[in-house]
Amino acid sequence: MKTIIDLFETSVGKYGKNTFLWEKKTTRFEPVTYEETKKQVYRLAAGLMSLGVQAGDKIALLSEGRNDWITGELGILYTGAVNVPLSVKLEEKNDLIFRLKHSETKYVITSGAQLRKIRMIIGNLPLIEHVIVLDPIDAYDEKEIPFENILAAGDRYLETNYDDLTARSKAVREDDMANISYTSGTTADPKGVMLSHRNYTANVEQAMSLFKIGPEDSNLIIIPLDHCFGHVAGFYTFMAYGANVATVQAGKTPIESLKNIPLNIREFKPTIILSVPALAKNFKKNIEATIQKKGKRTEKLFRKALKTAYDYNREGYNKGGFLKIHKRILLAVYDKFIFSKVRGAMGGKMKFFIGGGALLDIELQRFFYAIGIPMFQGYGLSEATPVISSNTLTRHKLGSSGVLVSNLELKILDAEDKELPPGEKGEIVVKGENVMLGYWKNAEATADTVRDGWLHTGDMGYVDKDGFLYVLGRFKSLLISSDGEKYSPEGIEEGICDGSKYLEQMMLHNDQDPYTVALVVPDKAQLKRYVERIKPGLDWNTKEAKELALKKIQEIINRYKSGGVHAGEFPERWLPAAIAILPEPFTEQNHLLNSSLKMVRGKIEEKYKDLLAYLYTSEGKNIVNDKNIFSL
């Protein structure tokens, strides 16, 4: 199984009559078998060839998740062309123009909802020959072609040129490029990760070494398909097992599509779901809100059940024990009357989540483990196609990123590239067939990232004595004190924000400075409620109200310092000695979060460089200052 084409043809041969794809266009999810999918892929590939698509051409795919996305990628690959998958979150101005120009894209396949973005920039993209529109629209501009016309052309082509298509698809080699997958961009220009057919099929084989599923298993794909995590874990691994996948019903707006996720989960009843921390937190909030609506008594019982489960489960691998038999019995009762109802609201068939994208908070993992739908943290990155490790049903430690996939070497290196023993922290470096070909048109970055076949991930972590990988954050986004000591900030930032309803986001900063500082995005609504509670009737717009709110934020930070209730949880030298309140959150729209919802630290530091400098003044060190009052 060397190419994605081999993978698909093998699965069609084995599981032809099985359902592969599900899609809800109107009132219910409709099935499409493996054999029916193959016919559609052949029609599209033939239609593209009739249009003049050559092996090696770049074809961009810009669409919400749907059957046509998956058959679209397969159709592109059958022609020997390269898919350039694009996020629907990208805006046209710079993000799309850069990727389409840089990749040398000649054709674009787009949904009707995304077409406006292409229309706004097509004049700046002379290389683009045709835009294929997946949905029927009232009128087509120059270069635009209805999808149905491509399929009809494909039907005609297959009548006389069937052998040409099969010859083209058989000519595709394992080292041929399948995708140029653009990174989310933590620097000015995103890098195009070149992923080969074998990168993908190797990573599918590696993922199968950790997760065993059957043809009866199903996945509702709620993560973006443009990322290779959506490819490998979303549908290619399910394809290899003869299992089936559905996509979320597209709404008229992105918000409407998000609201369809819980509805579709209840309708489709998937057995497995892939998630990212932001979505997992939303699921948890929705569950807790539903419990609260049932009244104080139900909420109290739910909290008691959770506490019992947390105590019994611990970190999963060490749960239970002889001394806790009574808790196991109690837990069985709680599961029957409480947790099973929660699972029922999520379809009732879910076995587990797989978490990726960013680090999952351990409390989030404990919550889902308690209700009987474990959320297994995995780790990977685009340059590794992406899966490197994961926790599994049979082998897991909550808080870790799991065990390595098969046929992958891993080392932990110090700053001088010397290998470290188990337990010691350093940069995670891996080697295997899933390591990318390199960065498109960027030999310098490729040489810096892949050395002697080893991918230097830029992430910091360690491997424990049992072979579990712990990822601690970005190796290259470390806090660096004036004496040269380094520390990864993510754990502190997430821990403090997750532990307080008054703080939404935080970024710590220390670039060889005398102390660490923080940029904080507060939850203003919660702070207003706090002020109203302790001083009823006090106008929020007064200086006194803002000072009370600022002192509350300082108090939250002080809890983690000497004498505080959480003292010792984090090293004190890395806790913020000065705090700046920001007037707006970090979002994708202001480019301070990337598409994986990770902070783009370089851009944040650049935007707020004057404010960061102010925090190292005597006035800025006091949280009650004019700038912070103004921001509130």
Side-chain angles (χ1 to χ4, degrees):
M1 189 172 69
K2 295 299 186 183
T3 67
I4 293 169
I5 295 163
D6 295 336
L7 166 61
F8 180 56
E9 292 284 347
T10 301
S11 291
V12 173
K14 281 186 188 174
Y15 310 110
K17 304 295 183 195
N18 288 13
T19 296
F20 175 38
L21 303 175
W22 294 89
E23 187 172 47
K24 184 184 177 189
K25 288 184 176 176
T26 52
T27 57
R28 64 193 181 99
F29 280 94
E30 301 284 353
V32 180
T33 67
Y34 277 83
E35 286 178 350
E36 288 166 341
T37 305
K38 180 177 173 177
K39 284 177 186 170
Q40 184 78 345
V41 168
Y42 274 48
R43 293 178 73 202
L44 174 57
L48 291 173
M49 286 177 67
S50 74
L51 200 61
V53 169
Q54 300 297 314
D57 281 349
K58 315 301 182 297
I59 303 179
L61 184 45
L62 177 65
S63 170
E64 302 74 16
R66 57 200 287 170
N67 288 358
D68 291 335
W69 204 109
I70 296 169
T71 56
E73 164 144 301
L74 289 167
I76 291 167
L77 299 180
Y78 264 75
T79 69
V82 178
N83 182 18
V84 182
L86 299 172
S87 168
V88 294
K89 294 176 183 176
L90 295 170
E91 287 307 321
E92 61 279 352
K93 292 291 183 286
N94 299 316
D95 295 329
L96 278 175
I97 287 177
F98 175 83
R99 287 162 173 78
L100 291 166
K101 275 190 174 177
H102 185 260
S103 62
E104 299 170 8
T105 288
K106 289 176 74 174
Y107 305 88
V108 176
I109 300 175
T110 182
S111 67
Q114 298 297 314
L115 176 61
R116 64 166 185 84
K117 295 179 181 178
I118 300 299
R119 283 180 168 177
M120 288 179 75
I121 59 175
I122 192 78
N124 298 317
L125 300 164
L127 266 185
I128 291 178
E129 296 178 13
H130 295 289
V131 177
I132 298 162
V133 188
L134 293 171
D135 304 293
I137 56 174
D138 292 336
Y140 293 85
D141 288 353
E142 188 187 357
K143 295 188 177 181
E144 293 174 0
I145 307 173
F147 186 54
E148 287 304 318
N149 289 16
I150 297 294
L151 296 179
D155 291 335
R156 293 191 296 273
Y157 188 90
L158 288 171
E159 286 174 12
T160 53
N161 302 93
Y162 186 90
D163 289 346
D164 290 349
L165 172 60
T166 55
R168 180 83 71 87
S169 65
K170 283 176 181 172
V172 175
R173 296 288 170 254
E174 62 182 88
D175 291 331
D176 288 345
M177 225 194 310
N179 282 178
I180 299 176
S181 182
Y182 280 89
T183 59
S184 306
T186 51
T187 55
D189 287 335
K191 294 191 281 287
V193 179
M194 296 189 289
L195 298 176
S196 70
H197 281 258
R198 182 56 188 156
N199 286 154
Y200 274 113
T201 59
N203 203 228
V204 167
E205 290 164 11
Q206 290 169 322
M208 291 171 80
S209 73
L210 295 184
F211 289 101
K212 309 293 181 205
I213 61 176
E216 72 286 352
D217 280 305
S218 57
N219 172 26
L220 177 67
I221 305 174
I222 61 176
I223 61 170
L225 287 178
D226 58 277
H227 194 278
C228 53
F229 182 46
H231 281 62
V232 171
F235 58 89
Y236 282 141
T237 300
F238 278 75
M239 180 195 289
Y241 277 120
N244 56 100
V245 300
T247 45
V248 173
Q249 184 181 14
K252 291 187 177 72
T253 64
I255 295 295
E256 193 178 307
S257 296
L258 270 177
K259 286 180 179 174
N260 283 338
I261 291 174
L263 298 172
N264 288 174
I265 288 172
R266 287 195 290 276
E267 292 169 311
F268 183 62
K269 299 178 173 40
T271 62
I272 299 159
I273 276 185
L274 314 178
S275 188
V276 293
L279 285 169
K281 285 176 184 175
N282 278 342
F283 289 144
K284 181 173 181 274
K285 275 184 186 174
N286 290 342
I287 291 167
E288 289 172 330
T290 304
I291 295 290
Q292 281 175 353
K293 284 175 188 170
K294 294 185 182 296
K296 293 277 186 201
R297 192 176 168 197
T298 302
E299 190 181 357
K300 192 175 178 183
L301 195 61
F302 182 67
R303 295 285 161 214
K304 199 171 178 184
L306 276 181
K307 189 174 183 303
T308 304
Y310 289 178
D311 187 49
Y312 180 80
N313 292 333
R314 291 189 279 182
E315 284 74 48
Y317 76 100
N318 54 357
K319 70 179 176 183
F322 180 73
L323 297 175
K324 294 191 177 181
I325 287 175
H326 64 293
K327 289 203 168 168
R328 186 170 73 186
I329 296 165
L330 186 58
L331 210 50
V333 175
Y334 283 141
D335 191 79
K336 183 176 180 181
F337 292 104
I338 299 174
F339 296 146
S340 64
K341 305 284 192 302
V342 175
R343 293 195 298 274
M346 297 188 75
K349 291 184 177 179
M350 198 140 17
K351 297 175 182 177
F352 57 85
F353 290 89
I354 301 172
L359 297 180
L360 286 166
D361 172 45
I362 190 167
E363 292 308 314
L364 205 57
Q365 293 178 53
R366 287 194 174 110
F367 177 86
F368 285 103
Y369 200 93
I371 66 172
I373 314 174
M375 180 166 280
F376 294 128
Q377 170 78 54
Y379 167 66
L381 68 166
S382 298
E383 290 85 345
T385 325
V387 185
I388 287 172
S389 68
S390 184
N391 286 280
T392 71
L393 277 169
T394 55
R395 203 171 170 208
H396 53 263
K397 279 189 185 183
L398 303 187
S400 81
S401 288
V403 292
L404 287 193
V405 296
S406 63
N407 300 317
L408 184 75
E409 297 175 71
L410 180 142
K411 296 190 293 192
I412 304 293
L413 302 182
D414 67 12
E416 280 76 46
D417 282 354
K418 289 177 185 164
E419 189 169 358
L420 297 168
E424 288 199 30
K425 297 183 289 187
E427 185 180 11
I428 300 165
V429 179
V430 298
K431 186 178 191 179
E433 284 188 284
N434 55 319
V435 170
M436 66 172 179
L437 297 173
Y439 295 116
W440 174 248
K441 297 198 296 193
N442 196 336
E444 188 180 342
T446 301
D448 186 50
T449 307
V450 182
R451 296 173 234 154
D452 297 324
W454 288 93
L455 171 66
H456 291 248
T457 66
D459 289 323
M460 186 165 76
Y462 68 92
V463 178
D464 73 6
K465 59 183 174 57
D466 298 318
F468 282 82
L469 177 65
Y470 286 78
V471 182
L472 304 171
R474 291 297 292 165
F475 194 70
K476 294 172 183 173
S477 66
L478 301 175
L479 302 172
I480 306 173
S481 65
S482 53
D483 61 4
E485 191 178 334
K486 298 173 181 145
Y487 196 85
S488 183
E490 280 97 336
I492 301 176
E493 293 160 347
E494 289 173 14
I496 294 176
C497 287
D498 289 341
S500 172
K501 62 184 177 182
Y502 299 106
L503 305 182
E504 286 194 340
Q505 294 168 313
M506 173 188 292
M507 193 196 84
L508 297 176
H509 171 83
N510 191 335
D511 188 9
Q512 301 179 63
D513 296 308
Y515 51 85
T516 301
V517 298
L519 300 176
V520 168
V521 176
D523 187 325
K524 289 183 186 176
Q526 290 287 3
L527 286 172
K528 284 179 185 177
R529 282 194 278 273
Y530 165 76
V531 170
E532 175 62 29
R533 193 168 67 250
I534 63 165
K535 273 243 172 151
L538 181 63
D539 185 351
W540 171 252
N541 293 313
T542 62
K543 187 176 180 183
E544 185 185 356
K546 304 290 174 67
E547 286 180 357
L548 285 171
L550 289 170
K551 285 173 182 174
K552 180 62 179 175
I553 293 170
Q554 186 63 64
E555 179 208 317
I556 292 162
I557 302 300
N558 290 346
R559 291 174 191 170
Y560 295 86
K561 296 184 177 181
S562 299
V565 290
H566 300 305
E569 198 164 313
F570 306 117
E572 187 145 347
R573 74 176 302 178
W574 303 114
L575 292 169
I579 297 161
I581 305 302
L582 299 183
E584 63 169 351
F586 308 137
T587 66
E588 287 180 89
Q589 287 68 41
N590 61 22
H591 302 289
L592 301 182
L593 289 184
N594 65 23
S595 64
S596 302
L597 304 182
K598 295 175 186 171
M599 288 185 287
V600 185
R601 292 177 184 272
K603 289 183 181 176
I604 295 170
E605 287 166 346
E606 178 60 30
K607 178 167 182 169
Y608 294 111
K609 64 182 177 184
D610 293 341
L611 192 54
L612 288 168
Y614 174 69
L615 290 174
Y616 291 99
T617 66
S618 56
E619 185 187 336
K621 202 167 180 184
N622 181 359
I623 194 168
V624 181
N625 61 59
D626 290 344
K627 288 182 188 289
N628 283 344
I629 288 170
F630 181 77
S631 289
L632 282 177

